[in-house]
Amino acid sequence: MVAGVCAGVARRWGVDPTLVRVLTVVLALFAGVGIVLYALGWLLLPEDTSGRSLGDRALRGGGPDGTATVLLALGLVLVVVVVGLGLLRDAWFPVAVLAVVVLLAAAVLSRRPARPGSAVPASPPAYPYGAGTGWGGSAVTPPSAPGAPWSTPSATAPVVGPEASGYVPTDDPAFPSGYRPAEAWEPTGYGPPAPTPAVAPPARPRSVLGLLTVSAAVLATGVLALVDVAGADVPAAGYLALPLLVVGLGLVLGAWRGRARGLVGLGVLLALLLPLVAVAERVASSDRWDEAFIERTVAPVSAAGLDGRVVEQAAGDLTYDLSAVDFPSGSTDLALRVGAGSLTVVVPDGVTVVLDAEVGAGELSAFGSSTEGAGLSRSQRDPGQPGAGTLNLDVEMGLGTVEVNRAGA
Amino acid sequence: MQAHETDVTSLVFGLVFVGVAAVWVLVQNGVLTAAVLPVAVPALLVGVGLVGVLAALARGRRTPEDGPRRP
């Protein structure tokens, strides 16, 4: 027994605790699901002694130990999910994404705008939506202040009795489905313009929507991971698209019911990551990848047709060997562009080289001097024999190494 | 969760997120090709933006007392 979650669940359902424990262990063997559920139960189910859940205490500042224990439980979830799924299947990427989602959920859950009794007299007018989260401003709640005419009983009255030990997290009294109507946070709604209490406007009861949505997103992502583990072909980007969809639906719902603007941050992150992962996945699985990433050596033997040439390559290793070229006395323009990879240019000893090189990130090495880093740029003239021709060499590299050297060097 | 006046912020962001996820699903399943994306994504933004503008205007009409009153 760690935190008595099994026994509590068993009592609630009126079954033998042993049954629940065995079930948990069996589930734990299946990619650690049981351990995850145990940790979630630890986090969300109310304790016998306080009648409040661990998460609730942490959120409302029920003692310094609460936060630490919540982090412990979430860390447990994270480790188990990563190790369990990662070992069971060689699928580290989805697992990493899942871990990010869980971490974000933890971050959202652990946000506390103001503690009761803290020195900050939290002036809510400056933050009309709390901290932007569904749970913002919850800690400073004089529930039935006169300025909140629509405060609902369900939002303020503590739930007592057997219901207080609700198992489903959304039934948890820790997150009452309170909502303060629009008028309360945009003071000039319809109805009589109530004299706004300038000093301490009532904080809104928190809305359950944010927690509900994040929980649903985590749940959906977990189910997707299980489907993936079971053998279905789940694209990696699906681990971003699914929670994004859930978060989006939660926000759309929040346009008319409840309040969960804090989800916007989570959604923005997921929406930014989704195209990146989708593109990377597509490129990596594409047949063209092998073609795009090539090793190529080009060794022209004459300067004919070289002037004004632009050589481009998306990715790979390009070696441009000009050592056999006899440059005419005028100037020759040559441009070499590689997206990612390496570019090696060999120039003959006699020619004068005017180098104009740019490297997005990587290493730039030319005529014996080398620099590394991001945003490298170099304009350099390396004189050859007097009277010899000039090569204007324009080199661009996105990510990788550029090397320009004399044939004799 | 109580009903309330339309929260345009939530609505717009929610629609954007749902739309991005939906576009991904369509591309993933081959309904849309990647070549359509340069049109599909701006179209999504235009659609969501229109919804947002209309919702904001509708909200403003329903609550004309909003904002500072001018003679």
XYZ file of all heavy atoms in Angstrom, chain A residues 195-287:
640
model
N -22.989 48.967 -9.022
C -21.842 49.751 -8.556
C -20.675 48.823 -8.298
O -20.736 47.973 -7.410
C -22.362 50.413 -7.276
C -23.552 49.593 -6.878
C -24.146 49.065 -8.147
N -19.661 48.964 -9.090
C -18.549 48.026 -8.992
C -17.810 48.238 -7.682
O -17.370 49.349 -7.399
C -17.582 48.256 -10.152
O -18.341 48.397 -11.346
C -16.623 47.100 -10.272
N -17.707 47.218 -6.909
C -16.893 47.330 -5.692
C -15.446 47.544 -6.062
O -14.812 46.683 -6.659
C -17.102 45.991 -4.984
C -17.601 45.066 -6.050
C -18.310 45.909 -7.060
N -14.959 48.723 -5.784
C -13.646 49.087 -6.299
C -12.530 48.321 -5.603
O -11.496 48.061 -6.190
C -13.435 50.588 -6.107
N -12.730 47.995 -4.365
C -11.611 47.440 -3.608
C -11.447 45.954 -3.876
O -10.428 45.510 -4.371
C -11.813 47.679 -2.093
C -10.606 47.179 -1.325
C -12.041 49.163 -1.841
N -12.458 45.190 -3.599
C -12.293 43.745 -3.704
C -13.477 43.133 -4.429
O -14.411 42.652 -3.800
C -12.145 43.126 -2.315
N -13.449 43.194 -5.736
C -14.505 42.501 -6.474
C -14.400 41.008 -6.210
O -13.309 40.490 -6.020
C -14.171 42.814 -7.943
C -13.161 43.885 -7.915
C -12.468 43.804 -6.598
N -15.510 40.349 -6.194
C -15.464 38.933 -5.864
C -14.761 38.135 -6.945
O -14.956 38.379 -8.124
C -16.943 38.554 -5.791
C -17.619 39.555 -6.656
C -16.850 40.822 -6.503
N -13.938 37.235 -6.531
C -13.302 36.356 -7.506
C -14.324 35.348 -7.982
O -15.275 35.020 -7.275
C -12.118 35.642 -6.882
N -14.131 34.902 -9.205
C -15.070 33.931 -9.745
C -14.849 32.564 -9.133
O -13.715 32.184 -8.854
C -14.875 33.797 -11.242
C -15.266 35.007 -11.997
C -14.376 35.139 -13.188
N -13.020 35.502 -12.801
C -11.953 35.035 -13.379
N -12.049 34.174 -14.331
N -10.775 35.433 -12.986
N -15.903 31.847 -8.954
C -15.707 30.441 -8.663
C -15.067 29.810 -9.892
O -15.332 30.226 -11.013
C -17.124 29.913 -8.455
C -17.988 31.101 -8.326
C -17.304 32.228 -9.019
N -14.238 28.838 -9.665
C -13.539 28.309 -10.826
C -14.461 27.458 -11.689
O -15.439 26.893 -11.209
C -12.352 27.517 -10.369
C -12.705 26.444 -9.379
C -11.493 25.647 -9.075
N -11.230 25.606 -7.654
C -10.085 25.192 -7.158
N -9.124 24.857 -7.963
N -9.897 25.136 -5.868
N -14.077 27.372 -12.925
C -14.831 26.546 -13.851
C -14.151 25.200 -13.974
O -12.933 25.100 -13.926
C -14.897 27.220 -15.210
O -15.353 26.310 -16.170
N -14.946 24.186 -14.149
C -14.423 22.834 -14.233
C -13.913 22.550 -15.644
O -13.239 21.571 -15.888
C -15.519 21.836 -13.822
C -16.517 21.667 -14.952
C -14.922 20.509 -13.443
N -14.215 23.433 -16.563
C -13.970 23.134 -17.978
C -12.498 22.900 -18.297
O -12.162 21.981 -19.027
C -14.520 24.276 -18.835
C -14.368 24.084 -20.345
C -15.102 22.854 -20.804
C -14.862 25.305 -21.075
N -11.639 23.743 -17.731
C -10.217 23.605 -18.025
C -9.680 22.246 -17.615
O -9.045 21.549 -18.402
N -9.956 21.881 -16.399
C -9.481 20.589 -15.904
C -10.101 19.456 -16.704
O -9.432 18.486 -17.064
C -9.831 20.442 -14.428
C -9.353 19.122 -13.834
C -7.850 19.104 -13.711
C -10.010 18.845 -12.507
N -11.371 19.619 -16.998
C -12.073 18.592 -17.766
C -11.400 18.393 -19.114
O -11.124 17.263 -19.551
C -13.530 19.016 -17.953
C -14.452 18.043 -18.667
C -14.648 16.799 -17.835
C -15.773 18.698 -18.984
N -11.098 19.493 -19.775
C -10.506 19.400 -21.116
C -9.105 18.815 -21.070
O -8.759 17.938 -21.865
C -10.470 20.789 -21.761
O -11.766 21.371 -21.678
C -10.049 20.703 -23.200
N -8.288 19.310 -20.141
C -6.926 18.782 -20.044
C -6.971 17.294 -19.725
O -6.249 16.490 -20.322
C -6.128 19.566 -18.973
C -4.803 18.872 -18.708
C -5.887 20.982 -19.437
N -7.850 16.925 -18.806
C -7.978 15.507 -18.463
C -8.403 14.702 -19.675
O -7.851 13.630 -19.953
C -8.998 15.331 -17.341
O -8.647 16.125 -16.245
N -9.373 15.224 -20.414
C -9.836 14.503 -21.600
C -8.719 14.380 -22.625
O -8.569 13.340 -23.277
C -11.039 15.222 -22.212
N -7.913 15.449 -22.759
C -6.810 15.400 -23.726
C -5.784 14.344 -23.320
O -5.308 13.567 -24.146
C -6.155 16.777 -23.835
N -5.447 14.350 -22.036
C -4.486 13.353 -21.555
C -5.056 11.953 -21.738
O -4.378 11.031 -22.218
C -4.139 13.626 -20.077
C -3.328 12.485 -19.509
C -3.380 14.930 -19.949
N -6.319 11.814 -21.396
C -6.974 10.511 -21.527
C -6.960 10.053 -22.982
O -6.581 8.915 -23.295
C -8.411 10.618 -21.021
C -9.256 9.347 -21.086
C -8.791 8.363 -20.055
C -10.718 9.679 -20.902
N -7.347 10.948 -23.882
C -7.410 10.583 -25.301
C -6.028 10.213 -25.824
O -5.866 9.240 -26.565
C -7.992 11.749 -26.113
N -5.017 11.002 -25.406
C -3.664 10.707 -25.858
C -3.199 9.360 -25.323
O -2.548 8.583 -26.033
C -2.708 11.818 -25.405
O -3.295 13.078 -25.708
C -1.383 11.708 -26.123
N -3.542 9.093 -24.070
C -3.189 7.801 -23.498
C -3.848 6.657 -24.238
O -3.215 5.640 -24.541
N -5.132 6.827 -24.549
C -5.841 5.786 -25.300
C -5.201 5.585 -26.669
O -5.008 4.460 -27.138
C -7.337 6.148 -25.438
C -8.025 5.223 -26.419
C -8.013 6.073 -24.080
N -4.837 6.695 -27.287
C -4.173 6.607 -28.596
C -2.865 5.825 -28.480
O -2.545 4.996 -29.339
C -3.909 8.012 -29.141
C -3.333 8.075 -30.554
C -4.367 7.619 -31.556
C -2.860 9.479 -30.888
N -2.125 6.104 -27.407
C -0.866 5.383 -27.198
C -1.129 3.888 -27.028
O -0.393 3.054 -27.546
C -0.141 5.946 -25.981
N -2.211 3.563 -26.310
C -2.552 2.148 -26.130
C -2.908 1.511 -27.465
O -2.496 0.384 -27.759
C -3.707 2.004 -25.137
C -3.355 2.334 -23.690
C -4.581 2.229 -22.811
C -2.267 1.418 -23.195
N -3.682 2.232 -28.273
C -4.028 1.728 -29.608
C -2.755 1.517 -30.421
O -2.599 0.521 -31.126
C -4.983 2.723 -30.305
C -5.157 2.351 -31.771
C -6.329 2.733 -29.607
N -1.854 2.472 -30.279
C -0.569 2.379 -30.982
C 0.187 1.133 -30.534
O 0.688 0.349 -31.340
C 0.233 3.651 -30.688
C 1.409 3.809 -31.638
O 1.613 2.914 -32.479
O 2.120 4.824 -31.545
N 0.246 0.975 -29.220
C 0.955 -0.168 -28.657
C 0.311 -1.468 -29.128
O 0.992 -2.460 -29.415
C 0.952 -0.076 -27.114
C 1.362 -1.394 -26.505
C 1.883 1.026 -26.664
N -1.011 -1.451 -29.238
C -1.727 -2.663 -29.635
C -1.471 -3.025 -31.094
O -1.902 -4.076 -31.541
C -3.224 -2.485 -29.400
N -0.799 -2.149 -31.819
C -0.411 -2.543 -33.169
C -0.967 -1.686 -34.277
O -0.582 -1.864 -35.429
N -1.856 -0.770 -33.959
C -2.407 0.075 -35.019
C -1.332 1.042 -35.520
O -0.371 1.339 -34.812
C -3.607 0.860 -34.506
N -1.534 1.505 -36.717
C -0.558 2.411 -37.307
C -0.933 3.842 -36.961
O -1.770 4.450 -37.618
C -0.530 2.209 -38.824
C 0.563 3.051 -39.459
O 1.503 3.421 -38.729
O 0.456 3.340 -40.656
N -0.334 4.332 -35.905
C -0.643 5.689 -35.463
C 0.521 6.599 -35.830
O 1.641 6.384 -35.383
C -0.882 5.726 -33.937
C -1.083 7.160 -33.482
C -2.068 4.877 -33.570
N 0.266 7.590 -36.644
C 1.348 8.515 -36.982
C 1.753 9.342 -35.773
O 0.929 9.634 -34.894
C 0.744 9.396 -38.078
C -0.709 9.258 -37.937
C -0.988 7.924 -37.341
N 3.016 9.679 -35.730
C 3.526 10.404 -34.559
C 2.784 11.719 -34.358
O 2.498 12.117 -33.229
C 5.026 10.653 -34.728
N 2.466 12.390 -35.458
C 1.790 13.679 -35.330
C 0.409 13.521 -34.706
O -0.156 14.485 -34.194
C 1.670 14.352 -36.699
N -0.133 12.313 -34.744
C -1.426 12.076 -34.119
C -1.400 12.350 -32.627
O -2.408 12.734 -32.039
N -0.220 12.171 -32.033
C -0.091 12.433 -30.603
C -0.168 13.920 -30.296
O -0.283 14.316 -29.140
C 1.231 11.866 -30.082
C 1.195 10.370 -29.973
C 1.547 9.571 -31.047
C 0.773 9.763 -28.807
C 1.500 8.200 -30.962
C 0.718 8.399 -28.707
C 1.077 7.616 -29.789
O 1.010 6.270 -29.691
N -0.050 14.731 -31.310
C -0.249 16.167 -31.125
C -1.636 16.578 -31.602
O -2.286 17.416 -30.995
C 0.815 16.943 -31.897
C 2.228 16.785 -31.381
C 3.233 17.271 -32.401
C 2.391 17.550 -30.086
N -2.072 15.964 -32.715
C -3.346 16.374 -33.302
C -4.516 16.034 -32.378
O -5.449 16.829 -32.232
C -3.531 15.704 -34.664
N -4.461 14.879 -31.752
C -5.592 14.470 -30.914
C -5.781 15.386 -29.700
O -6.874 15.915 -29.485
C -5.432 13.004 -30.494
C -6.619 12.426 -29.739
C -7.880 12.489 -30.591
C -6.349 10.989 -29.330
N -4.715 15.599 -28.891
C -4.916 16.553 -27.797
C -5.258 17.952 -28.279
O -6.021 18.665 -27.628
C -3.576 16.530 -27.044
C -2.619 15.861 -27.937
C -3.392 14.953 -28.833
N -4.716 18.325 -29.445
C -5.062 19.644 -29.997
C -6.551 19.726 -30.310
O -7.208 20.725 -30.013
C -4.244 19.909 -31.261
C -4.489 21.254 -31.937
C -4.065 22.387 -31.025
C -3.765 21.338 -33.258
N -7.066 18.652 -30.887
C -8.493 18.613 -31.194
C -9.327 18.727 -29.911
O -10.299 19.490 -29.854
C -8.817 17.307 -31.924
C -10.246 17.134 -32.416
C -10.552 18.127 -33.508
C -10.472 15.714 -32.908
N -8.923 17.976 -28.902
C -9.671 18.013 -27.642
C -9.615 19.397 -27.017
O -10.630 19.939 -26.557
C -9.126 16.943 -26.670
C -9.804 17.061 -25.318
C -9.331 15.552 -27.243
N -8.421 19.979 -27.024
C -8.268 21.323 -26.449
C -9.128 22.331 -27.231
O -9.798 23.183 -26.655
C -6.783 21.731 -26.457
C -6.628 23.219 -26.206
C -6.032 20.962 -25.394
N -9.112 22.187 -28.558
C -9.923 23.084 -29.379
C -11.396 22.947 -29.076
O -12.120 23.946 -28.938
N -11.857 21.708 -28.949
C -13.273 21.493 -28.644
C -13.614 22.062 -27.275
O -14.678 22.663 -27.083
C -13.587 19.992 -28.698
C -13.562 19.377 -30.104
C -13.737 17.865 -30.031
C -14.642 19.997 -30.972
N -12.691 21.871 -26.326
C -12.926 22.426 -25.001
C -13.061 23.942 -25.036
O -13.919 24.531 -24.364
N -12.223 24.577 -25.860
C -12.282 26.039 -25.962
C -13.572 26.490 -26.639
O -14.181 27.488 -26.231
C -11.077 26.550 -26.737
C -9.842 26.831 -25.899
C -8.638 27.086 -26.769
C -10.080 28.013 -24.984
N -13.949 25.753 -27.693
C -15.206 26.116 -28.363
C -16.369 25.998 -27.380
O -17.241 26.882 -27.317
C -15.427 25.211 -29.589
C -16.822 25.413 -30.146
C -14.398 25.524 -30.660
N -16.347 24.934 -26.605
C -17.377 24.794 -25.576
C -17.305 25.959 -24.593
O -18.323 26.498 -24.162
C -17.200 23.453 -24.846
C -18.165 23.159 -23.714
C -19.592 23.094 -24.232
C -17.804 21.860 -23.017
N -16.052 26.337 -24.275
C -15.864 27.416 -23.319
C -16.319 28.773 -23.831
O -16.384 29.736 -23.078
N -16.622 28.838 -25.124
C -17.145 30.104 -25.647
C -18.527 30.390 -25.095
O -18.942 31.543 -25.026
C -17.173 30.069 -27.178
N -19.223 29.327 -24.709
C -20.591 29.540 -24.194
C -20.840 28.913 -22.831
O -21.776 29.258 -22.152
C -21.606 28.967 -25.194
C -21.578 29.697 -26.492
C -22.102 30.927 -26.734
C -21.002 29.267 -27.717
N -21.881 31.282 -28.044
C -21.218 30.285 -28.669
C -20.314 28.107 -28.112
C -20.766 30.182 -29.978
C -19.879 28.009 -29.419
C -20.105 29.038 -30.329
N -19.996 27.959 -22.466
C -20.189 27.286 -21.179
C -18.863 27.238 -20.451
O -17.851 26.874 -21.036
C -20.661 25.848 -21.387
C -22.010 25.697 -22.034
C -23.102 25.642 -20.981
N -24.393 25.295 -21.565
C -25.160 26.155 -22.221
N -24.744 27.397 -22.377
N -26.312 25.768 -22.717
N -18.910 27.574 -19.179
C -17.693 27.472 -18.401
C -16.644 28.468 -18.853
O -16.927 29.414 -19.589
N -15.443 28.205 -18.444
C -14.409 29.196 -18.722
C -13.071 28.472 -18.680
O -12.735 27.822 -17.706
C -14.482 30.269 -17.637
C -13.522 31.389 -17.757
C -13.993 32.508 -16.818
N -14.549 31.980 -15.569
C -13.804 31.654 -14.542
N -12.513 31.771 -14.590
N -14.352 31.194 -13.440
N -12.340 28.545 -19.760
C -11.083 27.796 -19.813
C -10.105 28.449 -20.770
O -9.529 27.803 -21.620
C -11.358 26.357 -20.237
N -9.908 29.728 -20.604
C -8.997 30.404 -21.528
C -7.565 29.950 -21.372
O -6.743 30.149 -22.264
C -9.069 31.908 -21.309
C -10.290 32.516 -21.923
C -10.182 34.010 -21.848
N -11.215 34.672 -22.607
C -11.271 35.978 -22.758
N -10.367 36.728 -22.176
N -12.218 36.520 -23.455
N -7.254 29.366 -20.236
C -5.890 28.882 -20.043
C -5.491 27.814 -21.035
O -4.311 27.549 -21.234
N -6.484 27.221 -21.675
C -6.189 26.180 -22.655
C -5.525 26.749 -23.902
O -4.922 26.009 -24.673
C -7.486 25.477 -23.065
C -8.187 24.676 -21.992
C -9.542 24.218 -22.476
C -7.345 23.488 -21.604
N -5.648 28.047 -24.092
C -5.106 28.648 -25.310
C -3.600 28.393 -25.400
O -3.085 28.022 -26.455
C -5.418 30.155 -25.353
C -4.645 30.827 -26.462
C -6.908 30.371 -25.553
N -2.912 28.567 -24.292
C -1.468 28.356 -24.308
C -1.103 26.943 -24.719
O -0.235 26.724 -25.578
N -1.778 25.998 -24.114
C -1.532 24.591 -24.454
C -1.817 24.343 -25.927
O -1.041 23.688 -26.630
C -2.414 23.707 -23.575
C -2.288 22.197 -23.738
C -0.882 21.742 -23.433
C -3.282 21.483 -22.838
N -2.925 24.900 -26.400
C -3.296 24.703 -27.798
C -2.293 25.325 -28.751
O -1.940 24.731 -29.769
N -1.826 26.515 -28.415
C -0.845 27.173 -29.286
C 0.402 26.309 -29.408
O 0.929 26.082 -30.511
C -0.485 28.570 -28.724
C 0.776 29.094 -29.376
C -1.633 29.534 -28.966
N 0.853 25.798 -28.293
C 2.055 24.954 -28.326
C 1.837 23.727 -29.204
O 2.657 23.400 -30.073
C 2.415 24.540 -26.899
C 3.793 23.895 -26.775
C 4.874 24.950 -26.822
C 3.890 23.063 -25.533
N 0.709 23.062 -28.991
C 0.419 21.863 -29.780
C 0.275 22.214 -31.257
O 0.764 21.493 -32.131
C -0.854 21.192 -29.261
C -0.750 20.525 -27.897
C -2.124 20.117 -27.399
C 0.151 19.310 -27.970
N -0.383 23.337 -31.530
C -0.613 23.720 -32.924
C 0.694 24.089 -33.611
O 0.837 23.910 -34.816
C -1.593 24.893 -32.988
N 1.655 24.605 -32.853
C 2.942 24.919 -33.451
C 3.758 23.651 -33.686
O 4.475 23.536 -34.679
C 3.723 25.892 -32.547
C 3.195 27.315 -32.506
C 4.031 28.159 -31.557
C 3.221 27.931 -33.887
N 3.663 22.722 -32.769
C 4.451 21.498 -32.894
C 3.900 20.588 -33.982
O 4.654 19.898 -34.663
C 4.475 20.748 -31.552
C 5.381 21.317 -30.479
C 5.222 20.539 -29.189
C 6.825 21.259 -30.937
N 2.578 20.595 -34.142
C 1.942 19.639 -35.055
C 2.497 19.718 -36.481
O 2.931 18.697 -37.023
C 0.423 19.832 -35.041
C -0.360 18.966 -36.019
C -0.125 17.500 -35.736
C -1.840 19.280 -35.949
N 2.522 20.899 -37.109
C 3.052 20.918 -38.480
C 4.514 20.518 -38.557
O 4.924 19.854 -39.509
C 2.844 22.369 -38.927
C 2.581 23.135 -37.694
C 2.003 22.205 -36.694
N 5.297 20.914 -37.552
C 6.710 20.533 -37.563
C 6.861 19.017 -37.585
O 7.586 18.447 -38.401
C 7.417 21.126 -36.335
C 7.538 22.642 -36.280
C 8.250 23.073 -35.011
C 8.316 23.130 -37.488
N 6.150 18.375 -36.656
C 6.258 16.919 -36.557
C 5.695 16.255 -37.806
O 6.275 15.306 -38.343
C 5.536 16.426 -35.285
C 5.462 14.907 -35.283
C 6.254 16.920 -34.060
N 4.567 16.784 -38.291
C 3.946 16.183 -39.473
C 4.876 16.272 -40.677
O 5.043 15.300 -41.417
C 2.613 16.874 -39.766
N 5.502 17.427 -40.846
C 6.419 17.588 -41.978
C 7.630 16.680 -41.811
O 8.046 15.988 -42.748
C 6.845 19.066 -42.111
C 8.010 19.190 -43.062
C 5.681 19.901 -42.594
N 8.188 16.670 -40.624
C 9.356 15.826 -40.384
C 9.021 14.359 -40.644
O 9.791 13.628 -41.270
C 9.845 16.010 -38.945
N 7.847 13.965 -40.198
C 7.424 12.586 -40.380
C 7.274 12.267 -41.866
O 7.694 11.218 -42.345
C 6.096 12.377 -39.662
C 5.744 10.946 -39.428
C 4.467 10.841 -38.615
O 3.638 11.768 -38.681
O 4.318 9.852 -37.929
N 6.669 13.193 -42.555
C 6.435 12.991 -43.987
C 7.758 12.908 -44.742
O 7.946 12.057 -45.608
C 5.598 14.165 -44.510
C 5.149 14.043 -45.928
C 4.074 15.063 -46.201
N 2.790 14.636 -45.676
C 1.841 14.106 -46.441
N 2.056 13.932 -47.717
N 0.699 13.742 -45.930
N 8.661 13.811 -44.400
C 9.957 13.804 -45.076
C 10.704 12.513 -44.773
O 11.270 11.864 -45.653
C 10.775 15.035 -44.639
C 12.216 14.884 -45.085
C 10.179 16.297 -45.223
N 10.671 12.119 -43.508
C 11.431 10.945 -43.111
C 10.887 9.680 -43.768
O 11.631 8.757 -44.060
C 11.397 10.805 -41.590
N 9.579 9.648 -44.012
C 8.990 8.443 -44.581
C 8.939 8.506 -46.099
O 8.566 7.538 -46.750
C 7.574 8.252 -44.029
O 6.751 9.301 -44.478
N 9.309 9.650 -46.630
C 9.197 9.805 -48.081
C 10.320 9.059 -48.803
O 11.440 8.965 -48.325
C 9.239 11.291 -48.434
O 9.677 11.462 -49.746
N 9.980 8.556 -49.973
C 11.002 7.891 -50.781
C 12.020 8.888 -51.296
O 13.146 8.548 -51.592
C 10.348 7.187 -51.970
C 9.471 6.049 -51.506
O 9.741 5.540 -50.404
O 8.525 5.704 -52.218
